[in-house]
Amino acid sequence: MRNVKQLHFSIVINAPVQTVWQRMLSDVGYRNWTSAFCEGSYFKGSWQQGETIRFLSPSGDGMVATIAEHKPLELISIKHLGFIVAGKDDFSSDNVTSWAPAFENYRFASVAGGTEVSIEQDIAPEYEQYMQDTWPKALQKLKLLSEQA
């Protein structure tokens, strides 16, 4: 039985969509803003639709997902499928089947003053408070990163 809540976050960044998109999804940019969640976070794989992508901590543990949708400068939809534990993909433990699949969507829109980034995230209830506390910090880092010349 899937048990998830959907959380929503957004921020307006004083930079064009193309800049925000590039800073959010590039290797260097991703490492910067996701350090709010875990210092040393990185990804392996591709943001292209249908591709597998792994979101990893310095220890190599993390999450495995596929890109469900990729509309350049508009939307990235990440379909989280499982955890990575001790270098192995876990798609079937109770820890995973209680929430998977879970979607994390990034939307980009041109607005007066720059770009609005909106996040929708399916999350297991035990992680809700952590995400409520951490996403605003991550989006603030993305804002600073994107507004630098």
Side-chain angles (χ1 to χ4, degrees), residues 3-148:
N3 182 19
V4 297
K5 298 181 79 160
Q6 190 173 73
L7 305 181
H8 298 269
F9 305 93
S10 69
I11 193 167
V12 174
I13 296 173
N14 185 14
V17 170
Q18 191 151 359
T19 299
V20 178
W21 173 275
Q22 191 276 329
R23 303 264 164 100
M24 190 169 194
L25 303 178
S26 70
D27 180 55
V28 171
Y30 181 88
R31 289 171 187 263
N32 177 301
W33 71 268
T34 60
S35 67
F37 294 102
C38 173
E39 197 62 53
S41 292
Y42 64 103
F43 69 87
K44 272 190 178 168
S46 165
W47 295 104
Q48 296 306 309
Q49 193 161 314
E51 293 291 319
T52 297
I53 190 165
R54 288 175 163 74
F55 301 99
L56 301 161
S57 68
S59 70
D61 291 345
M63 300 190 80
V64 61
T66 58
I67 301 302
E69 206 171 342
H70 176 126
K71 291 184 181 167
L73 307 180
E74 282 180 45
L75 169 72
I76 287 279
S77 178
I78 303 162
K79 183 179 183 181
H80 292 287
L81 301 170
F83 289 123
I84 302 162
V85 182
K88 300 216 180 330
D89 293 351
D90 170 11
F91 298 115
S92 57
S93 72
D94 290 346
N95 258 355
V96 171
T97 57
S98 64
W99 58 263
F103 286 87
E104 186 173 340
N105 299 321
Y106 304 161
R107 295 181 193 282
F108 301 79
S110 289
V111 295
T115 301
E116 182 176 30
V117 178
S118 304
I119 309 296
E120 300 160 4
Q121 184 177 34
D122 295 339
I123 195 78
E126 61 266 29
Y127 296 110
E128 179 183 5
Q129 192 56 57
Y130 174 73
M131 292 299 172
Q132 294 283 12
D133 294 341
T134 311
W135 259 113
K137 294 173 189 162
L139 290 173
Q140 200 56 47
K141 283 180 167 286
L142 180 64
K143 180 177 172 72
L144 290 171
L145 182 68
S146 298
E147 290 177 354
Q148 290 170 355

